[in-house]
Amino acid sequence: MYIDEYSDKVKDHFFHPKHNGKLEDADGMGKVGNPKCGDVMELFIKVEDNKISEIKFQTFGCATAIASTDALCELAKGMTLEDAEKISKQDIVDYLGGMPAIKVHCSILGEEALREAIKDYRSKGKT
Ligand code: FES
């Protein structure tokens, strides 16, 4: 896999992620592992008026996992919980201007972690 196989947008989200880190006072947290590679993703959300007001992630995943989850955060921020949980890996790939097919599975990590974070938030009875 060569870096030239990635779009400029993927490279930008990998080299300059805006949402990398942890939210200490998160309203919801999701943690998932990728069965294909064993990498782990943690994603944190803060919710105001049923919308995602802040979102961050941390992962030991690959460059594609970092770029695609950062892109997911960009898409999800400001969305209602119902809309955010509908974001698919295809939405992420489209937003990033494509991705090598062999790496699409890496974008599932963030997508699943977001759904878990929303589930965690709802389990606390805040909705
Ligand atoms: Fe594990 Fe990409 S290789 S998330």
Side-chain angles (χ1 to χ4, degrees), residues 21-32:
K22 189 174 182 177
L23 285 176
E24 296 295 343
D25 52 350
D27 295 318
M29 195 276 260
K31 182 175 181 176
V32 295

Side-chain angles (χ1 to χ4, degrees), residues 117-127:
I118 292 172
K119 202 189 289 179
D120 179 48
Y121 169 74
R122 288 182 173 142
S123 75
K124 293 173 181 168
K126 291 185 178 181
T127 51

Side-chain angles (χ1 to χ4, degrees), residues 34-41 59-66 68 102-109:
N34 189 329
K36 276 198 162 185
C37 62
D39 288 333
V40 174
M41 171 75 64
T59 184
F60 291 109
C62 66
T64 307
I66 292 168
S68 60
I102 195 171
K103 301 301 281 182
V104 170
H105 75 94
C106 307
S107 64
I108 293 170
L109 264 187

Side-chain angles (χ1 to χ4, degrees), residues 89-108:
K89 67 176 185 295
Q90 193 57 49
D91 293 330
I92 298 167
V93 171
D94 291 347
Y95 174 85
L96 287 170
M99 188 183 293
I102 195 171
K103 301 301 281 182
V104 170
H105 75 94
C106 307
S107 64
I108 293 170

Side-chain angles (χ1 to χ4, degrees), residues 42-59:
E42 289 180 342
L43 190 142
F44 309 86
I45 55 171
K46 281 196 68 72
V47 180
E48 278 173 38
D49 297 331
N50 196 46
K51 289 184 177 164
I52 296 177
S53 57
E54 281 188 68
I55 178 166
K56 286 193 178 287
F57 70 94
Q58 53 185 21
T59 184

Side-chain angles (χ1 to χ4, degrees), residues 69-117:
T69 306
D70 199 59
L72 165 73
C73 291
E74 202 70 357
L75 286 168
K77 191 169 177 180
M79 275 188 179
T80 63
L81 297 178
E82 292 73 22
D83 285 344
E85 64 191 345
K86 284 185 207 146
I87 298 172
S88 68
K89 67 176 185 295
Q90 193 57 49
D91 293 330
I92 298 167
V93 171
D94 291 347
Y95 174 85
L96 287 170
M99 188 183 293
I102 195 171
K103 301 301 281 182
V104 170
H105 75 94
C106 307
S107 64
I108 293 170
L109 264 187
E111 185 195 332
E112 289 183 347
L114 175 56
R115 293 211 180 99
E116 286 300 312

